[in-house]
Amino acid sequence: MNQIQDILRTMEYGPAPEEDAHVRAWLKRHGGRFGHFIGGRFTRPDGKTFKVFNPSTGEEIGEVAEGTEKDVDKAVKAAASAFAKWSALSGNERARHLYALARSVQKHARFLAVLETIDNGKPIRETRDLDIPLVARHFYHHAGWAELRDEQFPGYVPAGVCGQIIPWNFPLLMLAWKVAPALAAGCTVVLKPAEHTPLSALAFAEICNEAGLPAGVFNIVNGGGETGAAMVAHPGFSKIAFTGSTEVGRIIRKQTAGTGKKLSLELGGKSPFIVFADADLDAAVEGVVDAIWFNQGEVCCAGSRALVQEGVAERFYGKLRERMEKLRVGDPLDKSTDIGAVVAPVQIRSITAKVEAGVREGASLFQPSWAKELSGRPGCFFPPSLFTNVSPASPLAQEEIFGPVLAAMTFRTPGEAVQLANNSRYGLAASIWSQNLDTAFDTARRVKAGVVWINSTNLFDGAVGFGGYKESGFGREGGREGMHEYLTPAWLKKAKPARVAPPLEAPLPAEEGLPGSAPRALDRTVKLYIDGKQARPDSGYSYPVFDHSGKAVTEAGFGNRKDIRNAVEAARKTEGWSGMTGHARAQVLYFLAENLELRGDEFAARLRQATGASPAQAKKEVAASVARVMYYAAWADKYDGAVRGPQPRMLSLALPEPFEVIGISCPDEAPLLSFLSLALPAIAMGNRVVATPSPRQPLAACDLYQVLDTSDVPGGVVNIVTGDRDQLASVMAKHDDIAAHWYFGSAEGSAMVERESAGNLKSTWVNNGKARDWHDPTEGQGEEFLFKANRIKSIWTPFGV
Amino acid sequence: MNVKTDPARMADARPATEKGLVPVHSPIRRNEGMALDPALFEAMDVNLSAAERRAATLTTRRSVKKAWQAAWLVRAIECIDLTTLAGDDTPGRVERLCAKARHPLRDDLVEALGLSGHRLHTGAVCVYPAMVPTAVKALKGSGIPVASVATGFPAGLTPLPQRLAEIRYAVGEGAAEIDIVVTRAHVLTGNWPALYDEVRQMREACGEAHLKTILATGELKTLTNVYKASMVAMMAGADFIKTSTGMEAVNATLPVSLVMVRAIRAYLEATGYRIGFKPAGGIRAAKDALAWLILMKEELGRDWMEPDLFRLGASSLLGDIERQIEHFVTGRYSSADRHGMG
C-alpha cells in the first residue's frame, strides 16, 4: 500500500517539525560557547563552565561560563556605572529603548521560540504562541511605564542596581517580567538565568546590543546556585528579585535580611483548580489541559490540585481520562506536540519519586494507555498523570511536583471548596469553574491567592499583576503594582538614622523606690489591650514608665509571647472588620477622630509628660493625629484598585485585599502620631492589627484604649501589647498567622524581623533603623502606606454569550 | 537535531482499536432516537470564552503537513456534500455538478497520489427537491448518494404537512439523505417538546433515507441554544446534525462545531449511537477542511473522519483542495483554471 493510502487508513497527523537550522547556525557562530554579558560585551568563557543540554534528545548544545564572585562584581560595577546616565534619561528616552526591545523581540520571534524550545524542551506551539508574544507584550507595556513614571509615581525614584534571578521554566518570559519593569523604572540590571536554560537570555543580550540599549544597563552572569548566592550577597544591589522555589526564596530572605535591599519573591504554588457542579465541564477539561499539561506542568501557578464537586466528580474524571488519551508527548519541535520534554533528568527523577510515593500511599493513578512507551525512550519525557482520591493531607496535595501531575479530590459545598483551596501553605493562583457568577465571584474573593482565573487558567498579561499570597512570596510583576517593586520614595534615599532607645531592662522590682514614684495617687498599672478588653500581661510582670525628666509615672505591662499569641487570636477572629464596606469602616474612623479630638487636651498633656514637648508642640502632634485618622477615614472607601481589559471580553480586576492580620512594631519618635500613622492605614484597609507602641513612651497609645472603646472600633481590630519592641517583634515575625509585619525600630531589629519572617515568608516593611518625619505628609502618610496595607489580587473574569 | 525516531508519533503507538483503525468501516447502527429527556441537557450552560479558546487552539496544537496533508485533503473530498442550492439551478447545472462529484480530481493528480484504483468521489451531491430526479439519474451507478434539502428550506416556516410532504417527495424520487431545517422559534422559546415532535415526524417521513438536521446555528445565537437543540435533534432521531443552511449571516464556525460535536459525544455516552456531523456554509479553503478534520479527530475520534459520520457542506471548497493537492504533487502553486469546473 502506498503512503497516501496508508495515511487514508490511519488518518494520523504525521510529523510536522519546525525548522531549527537558524538556531543551529547561531549556536555554531558562538562555537557553542558563551561567556557572561557585562557592560555590553560577552566575556570569554575561560575558567569554569557548565554544559547545556537539549532535554528532548540529551544532546549537548552549549557550554557556558559559570559566574564567580568576581564576575558578579564586574557585572554590578558595569550596572552601577550605567545607572547614573540611564536613570537620568527622560521617560520618553527610556520608553524608546523599551519599545525598541519589544520590536526587536518580535523581529526575532521565531528564532527565539525555536531556541527556547531546544534549550528548555517545551513545545514549539507554546514558545511560538505564548512565551515569545508575551515577552514582546511585556516590553511594550513597560515602554509605557517608562514614559509615564514621573507623572504616575511622583516622589519616587528608581531603586538602583537590581539583581534578578530567574527560573528555567519560562526562561525568556521570566527575563521580560524582571527586566522590563526594572528598565522602565530607571534601574539597571544584573540577571542570572537558570543554569538549565541560559541560552535565550544570551540571545536577548545580543538583541539589546542590536537595539542600541546603552552598555551596562542590562548584564548577565551565568551560573547555578553558588553564583546566585554570590549575587544575593553582593552589597552593590539595591533590589533583589527572585522567581523560583520557596526553599531558595527563604534562603534569600534570610540572606538579604537587614541589608536594606528591596526584595520580591515569586515562589512555589499548589494552586487549586476548582470545578463546581454547574461548570461547563468540557470547558473545565480543556482548562486542566492548559493548567497542568501546559509547559509539562513546570509552572509555578499550575492548577495542580483539582477540587471537584462530588456530584460531578466521576463524570469529570471520565472526561479528563478521555482527553488525556489524545494528548501528544514528544519532540517539542514538532508542531503537533502538546507536552514536550521536562527540563532535565534530575527533574524527571524528582517527579517520578513523588508519583511513586503517591501510588504507594494509595491514591489511584491514571496515565494514558500509551504512557508506558515513553519509558526507555531517550529524552526527558513524562506522561500526563492524574491522581484521584487524593486526601488533603497527602504530599500529593501539599507539595509542589512541578510536573504534568494533577492531584484531584472532591468537595461538597462551596464553603468546603474554599476551605480546601486555602488548606495550603501556598497562595499563588486559583482557577474557578462555574457558570454561576455568584458562586465564581464569591469563591474568587475568598481564596487566598494572588491570581484568580474564573473559567480560565494560566492567562498572563503585562498590564495585570502576578504574584502570590502566603509562602508563594510577595511583590507583583506586571501592571502598576509591579512598578512599585522597582521604585523607592525619593526622601528615603536621604533618610537619617533614627534615635532608638535601648531595650527595656528585665522587669524586676526596683531595689529602692524609683525616682518620683512616691507618694502617688491611687496606683494605676496600664494593662494590655486585647480583643477590646484590657488584659493583664500573661507574664505577670510590669515595667516602669518614666516621664521626660526620668521620673517614674506608672507601670506598663511587660508583654510576652503569649500576649502576642492572644492578640493574634483576637485579631484573627475579628474577620467581620475585613468584610465591612469601606464606608462602614470610615464611619468608625471618623468617630474615632471625633473622640480623639474631644480628649485632645488630655493627650497633649500626656505627650508633654512623656516627651517634654512644649504645649504648642504637643498640641500640634495631637492635631496631626486627629488629621491622620481623618485622612485614612477618607481613604477607607476610595482605595479601590483597578480594572483592566487585557483581552477582548475580559475584565481583569486588580483588587487590593487586606493581609488580615498585620503586626506593627511602632517607633519611639512622635509616640501618638507614629502609632496612629501606622495602625490607621492598616485598619482603614480592613486589616486587624497587633501593635506594640513605643516601649519607653507607651502611654499615649495606651490612652487610646478608651477612645477605641467609645468609638465603636470592634474589639480585636486594634490590639496593643506593651513591652520590649524587639522581643515582641521577634514573636510576631515568627508567628505564622501574621501575614505582614511592619517594623520601625533599630537596624538590628529590622534585620531580625526580615530574617525571622522567612518562616512563613510574610510580607515585611522595615525602617532599617532610619528615621521618618511623621509630621511630614510626604513621609508620614500617603499611597506608600495604603500600598503596604494591601496585597493585590488579580481576578481574570471573561464574559460573553 | 539528530532525532532518529519521531517522538511526536509515539502518542499514536496504541492498540489499533483505540486508534479506531478497526471499526472505520463497520456499519453505523442507525440512531433510533429516544424519548425526549431534558435532564440530559437542561443544566448545560456553554462557556463562550472557553469554547472559543479551545476552537482557536485546535489548529495551533495540531499541524498536518506534506503527504499527510495531501491524504487528509483527499479525505476531505470524500466527505464533501457537493452542493448547489440556488434559485437559478437548472438540470444542466446539476448534471455538471454530479459529473464533478464522480470525478473530483484530475486523473494525473489521482495517479500521482497513488490512488488510481481508489474510486475517489465526493460524499454526496446536495440539491433542492425539484432537482433530485436529475441528480439521481446523473449519479446512477456511482454509489454517490443524493442529498436533498427539504422542509421549507431555508426558513422552515411552511406548514408542517407540506414540509413532511416535501420530504416524502424527495425520498420518493430517490434521495438517500434529507437535510431538514428546524423551526428556530422552538429553540428560541425553549419549546423542546415541539422541536422534538417536529424532528421525530420528519424522521418518520424519511423512512430509509438518512436525516440530517440543520440547526441554523447562526440564528440560534447562543452556544447553549446550539447544544440543547443538538441534543433534542438527536433524541428525535437525527442521523446527522448540521450547522447551517449557508443562508444565515453567520454560518459554520469552529466554536459552534465544537459545541455540536461535544453534544454528539454526550449523546453517544447516553445511548451508544454514533451521530454524524456536517458543518456547512462558508467553508471555502482547504485549510478550513483540515481544521474541521482536526476537530473531529480530537473531540470525537478516528471514526468521525469518514463520510458516514462526517460531511462538509460546500460548493467552492473542492476547487481550493484541488489546487493544494496539485501543489503537493508538483511543488508549484496552482490556479483554478487548471481544474475542471463543477
Side-chain angles (χ1 to χ4, degrees), chain A residues 621-699:
Chain A
E621 182 171 341
V622 173
S625 298
V626 174
R628 196 131 297 164
V629 177
M630 290 184 67
Y631 177 80
Y632 288 110
W635 268 117
D637 62 351
K638 292 174 191 66
Y639 198 67
D640 299 324
V643 181
R644 289 145 188 167
Q647 292 176 6
R649 290 207 331 265
M650 173 74 77
L651 285 181
S652 161
L653 311 184
L655 209 63
E657 285 195 342
F659 285 92
E660 306 210 1
V661 181
I662 299 185
I664 304 179
S665 306
C666 294
D668 289 328
E669 64 260 30
L672 177 66
L673 181 59
S674 65
F675 182 93
L676 289 170
S677 297
L678 290 166
L680 260 294
I683 66 171
M685 295 295 107
N687 297 286
R688 292 92 70 182
V689 303
V690 175
T692 69
S694 161
R696 301 281 169 182
Q697 283 137 18
L699 299 183

Side-chain angles (χ1 to χ4, degrees), chain B residues 2 19 26 50 57 60 65 68 90 104-106 110 115 126-127 157 159-161 186 207 310 314 321 332 342:
Chain B
N2 280 321
K19 285 199 278 186
S26 71
T57 51
T60 60
K65 297 290 176 204
W68 282 267
T90 59
L105 195 59
R106 245 170 43 210
V110 172
L115 295 177
C126 181
V127 294
L157 290 174
L160 186 59
H186 294 333
F310 178 61
I321 292 180
R332 299 163 58 87

Side-chain angles (χ1 to χ4, degrees), chain A residues 82-98 146-147 149-150 158 183-188 212-214 217:
Chain A
F83 177 75
K85 215 165 156 193
W86 175 252
S87 59
L89 289 182
S90 73
N92 178 261
E93 284 167 315
R94 269 199 327 283
R96 285 166 183 272
H97 281 295
L98 278 130
E147 184 90 43
R149 184 197 73 189
D150 294 338
L183 300 194
C187 299
T188 56
L213 190 74
V217 170

Side-chain angles (χ1 to χ4, degrees), chain A residues 2 5 9 12-13 20 24 54 125 280 282 290 326 328 333 336 338 369 373 377 435 649, chain B residues 1 7-8 10 12-13 18 45 47-48 52 54 60-63 72 113-114 265 297-298 302:
Chain A
N2 78 9
Q5 284 178 10
R9 193 174 52 79
E12 290 304 338
Y13 287 109
D20 66 353
R24 297 273 154 199
N54 175 341
R125 198 247 341 161
D280 177 347
D282 291 308
D290 287 333
K326 304 257 179 180
R328 292 165 62 90
L333 275 177
S336 298
D338 291 310
S369 54
E373 288 144 39
R377 281 191 47 83
Q435 286 301 105
R649 290 207 331 265
Chain B
M1 314 215 47
M10 63 201 175
D12 297 317
E18 274 168 43
D45 188 1
N47 187 283
L48 175 66
E52 286 178 345
R54 170 63 171 154
T60 60
R61 283 180 177 275
R62 297 289 180 264
S63 195
W72 280 47
L113 294 173
R265 208 166 59 195
K297 184 171 165 76
E298 290 295 313
R302 171 68 184 86

Side-chain angles (χ1 to χ4, degrees), chain A residues 437-608:
Chain A
L437 185 65
D438 290 83
T439 308
F441 232 84
D442 188 67
T443 311
R445 283 310 303 261
R446 289 161 70 197
V447 293
K448 300 270 182 290
V451 187
V452 179
W453 294 289
I454 293 177
N455 292 323
S456 54
T457 197
N458 279 343
L459 300 177
F460 311 102
D461 187 79
V464 181
F466 181 94
Y469 280 28
K470 306 203 278 188
E471 289 182 34
S472 293
F474 43 77
R476 293 292 178 266
E477 300 188 294
R480 185 188 177 85
E481 50 272 33
M483 284 300 292
H484 275 285
E485 301 298 331
Y486 292 94
L487 293 167
T488 205
W491 69 265
L492 198 56
K493 292 250 171 188
K494 290 171 243 152
K496 298 207 168 52
R499 281 210 317 263
V500 183
L504 296 178
E505 296 79 17
L508 304 176
E511 285 177 42
E512 304 161 17
L514 291 165
S517 63
R520 272 201 300 208
L522 186 62
D523 185 74
R524 176 172 177 244
T525 298
V526 180
K527 300 195 187 83
L528 316 179
Y529 185 66
I530 294 174
D531 204 12
K533 292 182 272 297
Q534 300 203 20
R536 286 206 175 75
D538 169 88
S539 65
Y541 286 99
S542 294
Y543 71 97
V545 178
F546 304 94
D547 70 7
H548 64 96
S549 66
K551 281 189 206 149
V553 185
T554 181
E555 302 214 323
F558 197 81
N560 70 4
R561 51 187 293 115
K562 292 200 175 145
D563 297 311
I564 294 292
R565 178 201 64 188
N566 296 344
V568 172
E569 270 167 25
R572 163 58 55 205
K573 72 179 170 62
T574 317
E575 281 167 356
W577 181 253
S578 305
M580 277 164 66
T581 64
H583 169 72
R585 282 197 297 269
Q587 294 307 295
V588 173
L589 300 188
Y590 279 121
F591 194 23
L592 179 69
E594 212 177 287
N595 288 322
L596 185 62
E597 188 163 79
L598 208 61
R599 295 175 57 175
D601 292 344
E602 213 176 292
F603 276 93
R606 180 63 88 191
L607 289 172
R608 275 159 53 206

